[in-house]
Short mmCIF file of all heavy atoms in Angstrom, two decimals:
data_model
loop_
_atom_site.label_atom_id
_atom_site.label_comp_id
_atom_site.label_asym_id
_atom_site.label_seq_id
_atom_site.Cartn_x
_atom_site.Cartn_y
_atom_site.Cartn_z
N ARG Z 1 -9.54 -85.03 171.52
CA ARG Z 1 -8.97 -85.14 172.85
C ARG Z 1 -9.55 -86.37 173.54
O ARG Z 1 -10.77 -86.57 173.53
CB ARG Z 1 -9.26 -83.90 173.69
CG ARG Z 1 -8.66 -82.62 173.15
CD ARG Z 1 -7.13 -82.63 173.25
NE ARG Z 1 -6.53 -81.39 172.76
CZ ARG Z 1 -6.19 -81.18 171.49
NH1 ARG Z 1 -6.42 -82.11 170.58
NH2 ARG Z 1 -5.62 -80.04 171.14
N LEU Z 2 -8.68 -87.19 174.14
CA LEU Z 2 -9.11 -88.36 174.90
C LEU Z 2 -8.47 -88.28 176.28
O LEU Z 2 -7.24 -88.13 176.39
CB LEU Z 2 -8.70 -89.66 174.22
CG LEU Z 2 -9.25 -89.96 172.82
CD1 LEU Z 2 -8.30 -89.42 171.74
CD2 LEU Z 2 -9.42 -91.46 172.62
N GLU Z 3 -9.27 -88.38 177.32
CA GLU Z 3 -8.75 -88.31 178.67
C GLU Z 3 -9.37 -89.42 179.51
O GLU Z 3 -10.60 -89.55 179.59
CB GLU Z 3 -9.08 -86.95 179.30
CG GLU Z 3 -8.46 -86.73 180.67
CD GLU Z 3 -6.93 -86.60 180.63
OE1 GLU Z 3 -6.40 -86.16 179.59
OE2 GLU Z 3 -6.28 -86.94 181.64
N GLY Z 4 -8.49 -90.25 180.12
CA GLY Z 4 -8.96 -91.30 181.00
C GLY Z 4 -9.78 -92.37 180.30
O GLY Z 4 -10.64 -92.99 180.93
N CYS Z 5 -9.52 -92.60 179.03
CA CYS Z 5 -10.30 -93.57 178.26
C CYS Z 5 -9.66 -94.96 178.28
O CYS Z 5 -8.46 -95.10 178.52
CB CYS Z 5 -10.47 -93.11 176.82
SG CYS Z 5 -11.47 -91.61 176.64
N LYS Z 6 -10.47 -95.98 178.00
CA LYS Z 6 -10.00 -97.36 177.90
C LYS Z 6 -10.14 -97.82 176.45
O LYS Z 6 -11.17 -97.57 175.81
CB LYS Z 6 -10.80 -98.28 178.80
CG LYS Z 6 -10.71 -97.97 180.29
CD LYS Z 6 -11.60 -98.90 181.09
CE LYS Z 6 -11.59 -98.57 182.56
NZ LYS Z 6 -12.49 -99.46 183.34
N GLY Z 7 -9.10 -98.52 175.98
CA GLY Z 7 -9.17 -99.10 174.65
C GLY Z 7 -8.47 -100.44 174.62
O GLY Z 7 -7.80 -100.80 173.66
N MET Z 8 -8.62 -101.22 175.70
CA MET Z 8 -7.92 -102.50 175.79
C MET Z 8 -8.41 -103.45 174.70
O MET Z 8 -9.61 -103.66 174.54
CB MET Z 8 -8.15 -103.14 177.16
CG MET Z 8 -7.45 -102.43 178.30
SD MET Z 8 -8.48 -101.15 179.02
CE MET Z 8 -9.54 -102.16 180.03
N GLY Z 9 -7.46 -103.96 173.95
CA GLY Z 9 -7.80 -104.92 172.90
C GLY Z 9 -8.53 -104.31 171.71
O GLY Z 9 -9.01 -105.05 170.85
N ALA Z 10 -8.62 -103.01 171.64
CA ALA Z 10 -9.33 -102.37 170.52
C ALA Z 10 -8.46 -102.40 169.26
O ALA Z 10 -7.23 -102.47 169.32
CB ALA Z 10 -9.68 -100.93 170.86
N ASP Z 11 -9.11 -102.36 168.11
CA ASP Z 11 -8.42 -102.40 166.82
C ASP Z 11 -8.45 -101.01 166.19
O ASP Z 11 -9.47 -100.58 165.65
CB ASP Z 11 -9.08 -103.42 165.90
CG ASP Z 11 -8.35 -103.57 164.56
OD1 ASP Z 11 -7.33 -102.88 164.36
OD2 ASP Z 11 -8.79 -104.38 163.74
N PHE Z 12 -7.31 -100.29 166.30
CA PHE Z 12 -7.16 -98.97 165.68
C PHE Z 12 -6.32 -99.05 164.41
O PHE Z 12 -5.85 -98.03 163.91
CB PHE Z 12 -6.47 -98.00 166.65
CG PHE Z 12 -7.24 -97.71 167.91
CD1 PHE Z 12 -7.02 -98.44 169.07
CD2 PHE Z 12 -8.17 -96.67 167.96
CE1 PHE Z 12 -7.70 -98.16 170.25
CE2 PHE Z 12 -8.86 -96.38 169.12
CZ PHE Z 12 -8.63 -97.13 170.27
N SER Z 13 -6.11 -100.23 163.87
CA SER Z 13 -5.16 -100.42 162.77
C SER Z 13 -5.58 -99.64 161.52
O SER Z 13 -6.76 -99.40 161.28
CB SER Z 13 -5.02 -101.91 162.43
OG SER Z 13 -6.26 -102.44 161.99
N GLU Z 14 -4.56 -99.26 160.74
CA GLU Z 14 -4.76 -98.54 159.47
C GLU Z 14 -5.56 -97.25 159.67
O GLU Z 14 -6.22 -96.77 158.74
CB GLU Z 14 -5.46 -99.44 158.44
CG GLU Z 14 -4.77 -100.77 158.19
CD GLU Z 14 -3.38 -100.60 157.59
OE1 GLU Z 14 -3.14 -99.59 156.90
OE2 GLU Z 14 -2.52 -101.49 157.83
N GLY Z 15 -5.47 -96.68 160.87
CA GLY Z 15 -6.22 -95.46 161.16
C GLY Z 15 -5.41 -94.21 160.88
O GLY Z 15 -4.29 -94.24 160.37
N TYR Z 16 -6.02 -93.07 161.25
CA TYR Z 16 -5.39 -91.77 161.03
C TYR Z 16 -5.69 -90.89 162.24
O TYR Z 16 -6.85 -90.61 162.54
CB TYR Z 16 -5.93 -91.12 159.76
CG TYR Z 16 -5.35 -89.74 159.46
CD1 TYR Z 16 -4.02 -89.60 159.09
CD2 TYR Z 16 -6.15 -88.61 159.54
CE1 TYR Z 16 -3.50 -88.34 158.81
CE2 TYR Z 16 -5.63 -87.35 159.27
CZ TYR Z 16 -4.31 -87.22 158.90
OH TYR Z 16 -3.78 -85.98 158.63
N PHE Z 17 -4.62 -90.48 162.95
CA PHE Z 17 -4.74 -89.59 164.10
C PHE Z 17 -4.04 -88.28 163.74
O PHE Z 17 -2.84 -88.28 163.42
CB PHE Z 17 -4.06 -90.19 165.33
CG PHE Z 17 -4.79 -91.32 166.00
CD1 PHE Z 17 -5.16 -92.47 165.31
CD2 PHE Z 17 -5.10 -91.24 167.35
CE1 PHE Z 17 -5.82 -93.51 165.93
CE2 PHE Z 17 -5.76 -92.29 167.99
CZ PHE Z 17 -6.13 -93.42 167.28
N ALA Z 18 -4.75 -87.17 163.80
CA ALA Z 18 -4.15 -85.87 163.51
C ALA Z 18 -4.62 -84.85 164.54
O ALA Z 18 -5.81 -84.81 164.89
CB ALA Z 18 -4.50 -85.42 162.10
N ASP Z 19 -3.69 -84.03 165.03
CA ASP Z 19 -4.02 -83.01 166.02
C ASP Z 19 -4.83 -83.63 167.16
O ASP Z 19 -5.91 -83.14 167.54
CB ASP Z 19 -4.80 -81.86 165.37
CG ASP Z 19 -3.94 -81.08 164.39
OD1 ASP Z 19 -2.93 -80.49 164.82
OD2 ASP Z 19 -4.26 -81.10 163.19
N THR Z 20 -4.28 -84.71 167.71
CA THR Z 20 -4.97 -85.48 168.75
C THR Z 20 -4.09 -85.58 169.99
O THR Z 20 -2.88 -85.79 169.89
CB THR Z 20 -5.33 -86.88 168.23
OG1 THR Z 20 -6.30 -86.75 167.18
CG2 THR Z 20 -5.91 -87.74 169.33
N VAL Z 21 -4.71 -85.43 171.15
CA VAL Z 21 -4.01 -85.56 172.43
C VAL Z 21 -4.75 -86.59 173.27
O VAL Z 21 -5.98 -86.52 173.41
CB VAL Z 21 -3.96 -84.21 173.19
CG1 VAL Z 21 -3.35 -84.40 174.58
CG2 VAL Z 21 -3.18 -83.17 172.40
N ALA Z 22 -4.01 -87.56 173.82
CA ALA Z 22 -4.59 -88.57 174.70
C ALA Z 22 -3.82 -88.58 176.01
O ALA Z 22 -2.59 -88.64 176.01
CB ALA Z 22 -4.56 -89.95 174.04
N GLY Z 23 -4.52 -88.52 177.11
CA GLY Z 23 -3.88 -88.53 178.42
C GLY Z 23 -4.48 -89.58 179.35
O GLY Z 23 -5.71 -89.73 179.41
N LYS Z 24 -3.62 -90.31 180.03
CA LYS Z 24 -4.04 -91.31 181.02
C LYS Z 24 -5.03 -92.32 180.44
O LYS Z 24 -6.02 -92.67 181.08
CB LYS Z 24 -4.62 -90.63 182.25
CG LYS Z 24 -3.62 -89.73 182.98
CD LYS Z 24 -4.22 -89.08 184.21
CE LYS Z 24 -3.20 -88.21 184.91
NZ LYS Z 24 -3.77 -87.54 186.11
N CYS Z 25 -4.74 -92.78 179.23
CA CYS Z 25 -5.59 -93.78 178.57
C CYS Z 25 -4.93 -95.15 178.61
O CYS Z 25 -3.70 -95.26 178.61
CB CYS Z 25 -5.86 -93.38 177.12
SG CYS Z 25 -6.82 -91.85 176.94
N ASN Z 26 -5.73 -96.20 178.64
CA ASN Z 26 -5.23 -97.56 178.68
C ASN Z 26 -5.50 -98.25 177.35
O ASN Z 26 -6.64 -98.58 177.02
CB ASN Z 26 -5.91 -98.35 179.81
CG ASN Z 26 -5.28 -99.71 180.02
OD1 ASN Z 26 -4.51 -100.20 179.19
ND2 ASN Z 26 -5.62 -100.35 181.13
N PHE Z 27 -4.43 -98.44 176.55
CA PHE Z 27 -4.52 -99.08 175.25
C PHE Z 27 -3.82 -100.44 175.24
O PHE Z 27 -3.35 -100.91 174.21
CB PHE Z 27 -3.89 -98.20 174.17
CG PHE Z 27 -4.56 -96.87 173.98
CD1 PHE Z 27 -3.87 -95.69 174.25
CD2 PHE Z 27 -5.86 -96.78 173.53
CE1 PHE Z 27 -4.48 -94.45 174.07
CE2 PHE Z 27 -6.48 -95.55 173.35
CZ PHE Z 27 -5.78 -94.38 173.61
N SER Z 28 -3.72 -101.09 176.39
CA SER Z 28 -3.03 -102.38 176.44
C SER Z 28 -3.70 -103.39 175.50
O SER Z 28 -4.92 -103.42 175.37
CB SER Z 28 -3.01 -102.92 177.87
OG SER Z 28 -4.32 -103.11 178.37
#
């Protein structure tokens, strides 16, 4: 679970997200 997190310019490439919820996060 991710809430109110920042990930601007982060590299999540080739990743794996399972049973995950993100709310009000900034991934610009």
